[in-house]
Amino acid sequence: MIKAMVHRIREVLIFSFVALFCKANGGTTADWWATRPPDPSASYCLSWRLAVEANNLRGWRTVPTQCLGYIETYMIGGQYFRDLRLIADQILSYANEIVPAGDGLDAWIFDVDDTCISNILYYRDKRYGCDPYDPVAFKAWATKAGCTAIPSVLRVYNKLIESGFKIILITGRDEETMGPATIDNLNDQGFVDYERLIMRTAAYKGQSAVKYKSEIRKQLVEEGYRIWGNVGDQWSDLQGEYLGNRTFKLPNPMYFVP
Amino acid sequence: MIKAMVHRIREVLIFSFVALFCKANGGTTADWWATRPPDPSASYCLSWRLAVEANNLRGWRTVPTQCLGYIETYMIGGQYFRDLRLIADQILSYANEIVPAGDGLDAWIFDVDDTCISNILYYRDKRYGCDPYDPVAFKAWATKAGCTAIPSVLRVYNKLIESGFKIILITGRDEETMGPATIDNLNDQGFVDYERLIMRTAAYKGQSAVKYKSEIRKQLVEEGYRIWGNVGDQWSDLQGEYLGNRTFKLPNPMYFVP
């Protein structure tokens, strides 16, 4: 009985608030949706995410705890995939202007983790990056080969191959321990027919991603490859040397690789 | 009378909708705010803005018309200034780790338009960038010296000077026609005590911003300056050569300078 009364009072209060709001704005329901008071935390988290994507925020270790809900909604609520779709369209519109020479040396570089295949399922259990990086747990996850394809990237990947480009995958994953699982995972998810999959060998252990990937790209250029595009979810994929003619930063607000 | 009835019917409909919504979710008003259905256009425009800030979208001439309302709300509704505040905090936290040598050669580079001083008032009349760039109208506006300070940047600017850094302003504005107005505008808005204001002279006319600004930075480095930071609203401020130890991209979804 009391519960019902409380419920009724709540409904009346909501009603009064809505009615007052509409009157104050002299407006329609559409206005009223539009003037929804902003959530101050979401507003901060949007600024935070923008700063990450524009490379203004560097060396961060965890997502701010207050942004857990925001990042979760971003990653699984649709906006992340919409962001990817728009970038994929940009990549294809740029690639369409290039005519591959047909000598098999027109290359595109792709990173693997959260570029081709997604770790969302893993990061869901790590509070979308609010928990600190756990290399042992991540390795255990990666060797299960359970990453899922990022659909927009797979679309771009296939179109580039169709257009005559060679795809070279460069990943910081350790070749010795994660090689077979990575190959399986990529194949299972449709990332086939790549020119090369370059993983980190003992020679590059402990090197920063910028240094390791620059060195690999340098070797590719020396072999004669023309790098038309370079796609990654980390700025460390897209900085350093031999970057290629154009870089594309895919969103990733869950972790930072130096 | 009929108007009042329509109004009453609308209120009842809204009330029923809200009550139904709360019941369906078994939840509170907070849930109900949170589950507000997303506006598909805002969602696209957010992806678009992100792609601009992450440098995935290049060479664009106008803001997509469907994003006029979104960009207006972004620019004057608070989020733009919140984004700037977060970047300003990042700049200061980075700068705090540097101890200037005291020889007057520890420099920071700042762009002028929409970095130090804002053209929002001008772009309001150009539908926040939905209208194409109009060099004659922009020059007329700039010579009025009516740009307003960007508060977060002014705060950073003053703190850097206080800490012993030298500020060097590099702008693509034409020295001959816009020199006096630019100097006045900066002074009026509190941007004083800079080391140098470098404007585009006849020698650099027609050059891309990347090339012109790289050349200027090269000369500064040859003079002995150590560029610790480089702040601009355009990627063309932050690409090319002699970029400095770290770059900071301020938001600007209204126009693109190649």
Side-chain angles (χ1 to χ4, degrees):
Chain A
M1 176 67 186
I2 289 170
K3 212 172 159 189
M5 266 180 68
V6 168
H7 195 79
R8 175 71 195 148
I9 289 168
R10 199 171 67 197
E11 282 177 342
V12 168
L13 280 173
I14 293 168
F15 169 65
S16 313
F17 171 68
V18 168
L20 255 171
F21 208 85
C22 288
K23 269 180 192 159
N25 285 281
T28 62
T29 13
D31 292 339
W32 161 66
W33 284 126
T35 49
R36 173 197 183 206
D39 168 1
S41 160
S43 161
Y44 168 76
C45 300
L46 175 55
S47 291
W48 184 85
R49 178 164 74 85
L50 186 81
V52 166
E53 296 307 333
N55 201 20
N56 289 322
L57 229 162
R58 301 182 189 181
W60 52 277
R61 287 172 191 278
T62 52
V63 169
T65 311
Q66 70 189 95
C67 297
L68 168 57
Y70 174 86
I71 298 293
E72 178 172 34
T73 302
Y74 172 69
M75 291 302 296
I76 64 175
Q79 192 63 36
Y80 169 61
F81 290 99
R82 282 189 287 271
D83 287 354
L84 284 164
R85 211 151 55 212
L86 190 140
I87 301 166
D89 291 343
Q90 290 302 314
I91 295 176
L92 291 178
S93 111
Y94 161 68
N96 276 340
E97 290 168 14
I98 307 161
V99 182
D103 58 1
L105 292 169
D106 293 294
W108 277 73
I109 308 283
F110 280 76
D111 169 53
V112 172
D113 282 294
D114 294 298
T115 296
C116 294
I117 50 178
S118 169
N119 292 299
I120 289 188
L121 288 174
Y122 170 78
Y123 276 95
R124 191 185 55 182
D125 292 340
K126 297 291 175 187
R127 299 194 303 148
Y128 295 94
C130 288
D131 291 343
Y133 179 58
D134 179 344
V136 176
F138 182 76
K139 196 168 266 188
W141 152 258
T143 51
K144 279 186 201 157
C147 296
T148 50
I150 297 180
S152 291
V153 178
L154 185 55
R155 172 168 63 99
V156 164
Y157 178 99
N158 285 327
K159 288 236 177 184
L160 290 174
I161 291 175
E162 228 179 271
S163 305
F165 292 102
K166 299 297 174 188
I167 307 277
I168 296 168
L169 304 172
I170 309 180
T171 169
R173 286 188 178 199
D174 179 51
E175 187 166 44
E176 197 187 334
T177 53
M178 293 196 269
T182 305
I183 292 168
D184 287 350
N185 204 156
L186 285 165
N187 284 343
D188 290 349
Q189 295 297 316
F191 288 90
V192 292
D193 297 330
Y194 44 79
E195 178 83 350
R196 281 194 218 172
L197 165 61
I198 300 170
M199 302 184 73
R200 196 191 282 262
T201 55
Y204 298 101
K205 214 168 176 174
Q207 263 188 18
S208 74
V210 171
K211 214 173 158 199
Y212 154 63
K213 294 196 169 185
S214 290
E215 183 52 42
I216 298 293
R217 289 190 304 261
K218 186 184 174 208
Q219 291 167 20
L220 293 168
V221 168
E222 283 169 357
E223 284 182 47
Y225 284 107
R226 294 174 290 276
I227 303 175
W228 288 102
N230 182 359
V231 184
D233 67 300
Q234 298 290 324
W235 278 102
S236 53
D237 298 326
L238 313 173
Q239 292 194 311
E241 295 180 286
Y242 303 91
L243 291 175
N245 193 49
R246 195 160 156 187
T247 61
F248 293 92
K249 168 69 175 79
L250 307 185
N252 186 351
M254 301 188 298
Y255 59 89
F256 176 89
V257 178
Chain B
M1 179 64 187
I2 289 168
K3 210 174 160 187
M5 265 180 67
V6 169
H7 195 80
R8 175 68 194 151
I9 288 166
R10 196 171 67 199
E11 281 175 342
V12 168
L13 279 173
I14 292 167
F15 168 65
S16 314
F17 170 68
V18 166
L20 256 171
F21 209 85
C22 289
K23 270 180 192 157
N25 285 280
T28 61
T29 14
D31 293 337
W32 161 65
W33 284 126
T35 48
R36 173 197 182 207
D39 168 1
S41 159
S43 161
Y44 168 76
C45 300
L46 175 55
S47 291
W48 184 86
R49 179 165 75 83
L50 187 80
V52 166
E53 296 306 334
N55 201 21
N56 289 322
L57 229 163
R58 302 182 188 179
W60 52 278
R61 288 171 190 278
T62 52
V63 170
T65 311
Q66 71 189 95
C67 298
L68 169 57
Y70 173 86
I71 298 293
E72 178 172 35
T73 302
Y74 172 69
M75 291 303 295
I76 65 176
Q79 191 63 35
Y80 169 62
F81 290 100
R82 282 189 286 271
D83 287 353
L84 285 164
R85 213 152 53 213
L86 190 141
I87 302 167
D89 291 344
Q90 290 301 316
I91 296 177
L92 291 177
S93 110
Y94 160 68
N96 276 340
E97 291 169 12
I98 308 161
V99 182
D103 58 2
L105 292 169
D106 292 294
W108 276 73
I109 309 283
F110 280 76
D111 169 55
V112 172
D113 281 295
D114 294 298
T115 296
C116 295
I117 51 178
S118 170
N119 291 300
I120 290 188
L121 288 174
Y122 170 77
Y123 277 95
R124 191 184 54 181
D125 292 339
K126 298 290 174 188
R127 300 194 303 148
Y128 295 96
C130 288
D131 291 343
Y133 179 59
D134 178 344
V136 176
F138 182 76
K139 197 168 265 188
W141 152 258
T143 50
K144 278 184 199 159
C147 297
T148 50
I150 297 180
S152 290
V153 178
L154 186 55
R155 172 168 63 99
V156 164
Y157 176 100
N158 285 327
K159 288 238 177 180
L160 290 174
I161 292 176
E162 231 180 270
S163 306
F165 292 102
K166 300 296 175 189
I167 306 278
I168 297 169
L169 304 172
I170 308 180
T171 170
R173 286 188 178 199
D174 178 53
E175 186 165 45
E176 197 186 334
T177 53
M178 294 197 268
T182 305
I183 293 166
D184 287 351
N185 204 156
L186 284 165
N187 284 343
D188 290 350
Q189 295 297 317
F191 289 89
V192 293
D193 298 331
Y194 45 78
E195 178 85 347
R196 281 193 218 170
L197 165 62
I198 300 169
M199 301 184 74
R200 197 191 282 262
T201 56
Y204 298 102
K205 213 168 176 174
Q207 264 188 16
S208 74
V210 171
K211 212 174 160 200
Y212 155 62
K213 293 196 169 185
S214 290
E215 183 52 42
I216 299 292
R217 288 190 305 261
K218 185 184 175 208
Q219 291 167 21
L220 293 168
V221 168
E222 284 169 355
E223 283 182 47
Y225 284 107
R226 294 174 290 275
I227 303 175
W228 287 103
N230 182 1
V231 184
D233 67 300
Q234 298 290 323
W235 278 102
S236 53
D237 297 327
L238 313 174
Q239 292 194 311
E241 295 180 286
Y242 304 91
L243 291 174
N245 193 49
R246 195 160 156 186
T247 62
F248 293 91
K249 168 69 175 77
L250 306 186
N252 186 351
M254 301 187 299
Y255 59 89
F256 176 90
V257 178

